Amino acid sequence: MPFSEKLLTVPPPLEVAGRHVKRYHVTADPAGVDPEVEKAAYAILPELLPEPDGTPPAAFVVLHRGGDDGAYLNAYSWVWDNVLHFRGAAAGQPVLGCPDRDPTHFITPELPWIGCVWELPPILHERDAWVRHLLAPEVPDLHAYLADSLPEGTTGDRT
């Protein structure tokens, strides 16, 4: 089966555990991520976020619904001023240690993986947005950062 890009949608940010969380959803399904999978993913999100450390309380997540039973939530949080903290959760994927194929039964595997090819595109955008709105200006602007998301479309090359 040849490779194909997936659809990327950008729901509005949420506030979770005191952090402002920008959201990206990835799926091959034009209907988007199933609401039950989304609900289960965001229920485990507080477990994936680090303790506050004085850095503006911002994070971004990629919720990916795989082509099989798998669902993945990657949480990237800004810490130590300019460092990206990662923690992930997975559901429905026994090869990752999930106990069943239920895409709403999320666990937090201890793997050193930060994302697959469809989950990585937001990282570069978020790095540049963090520099643009928080690190480069004389007065950091968290609200501008939160409003600056990768445009919806596909996960592929945008040039």
Side-chain angles (χ1 to χ4, degrees), residues 41-125:
Y42 291 120
I44 200 168
L45 180 56
E47 296 177 36
L48 307 180
L49 301 174
E51 291 295 319
D53 70 353
T55 301
F60 62 97
V61 297
V62 178
L63 175 56
H64 178 191
R65 185 65 168 95
D68 53 12
D69 295 327
Y72 315 93
L73 181 65
N74 296 343
Y76 306 94
S77 302
W78 292 105
V79 297
W80 207 37
D81 188 45
N82 60 15
V83 174
L84 198 55
H85 171 278
F86 170 78
R87 187 106 193 266
Q93 189 59 267
V95 72
L96 297 181
C98 297
D100 52 44
R101 294 195 171 278
D102 179 354
T104 65
H105 187 185
F106 280 87
I107 64 158
T108 54
E110 293 298 325
L111 295 170
W113 303 349
I114 65 165
C116 74
V117 296
W118 296 287
E119 298 161 355
L120 295 176
I123 293 174
L124 178 59
H125 176 85

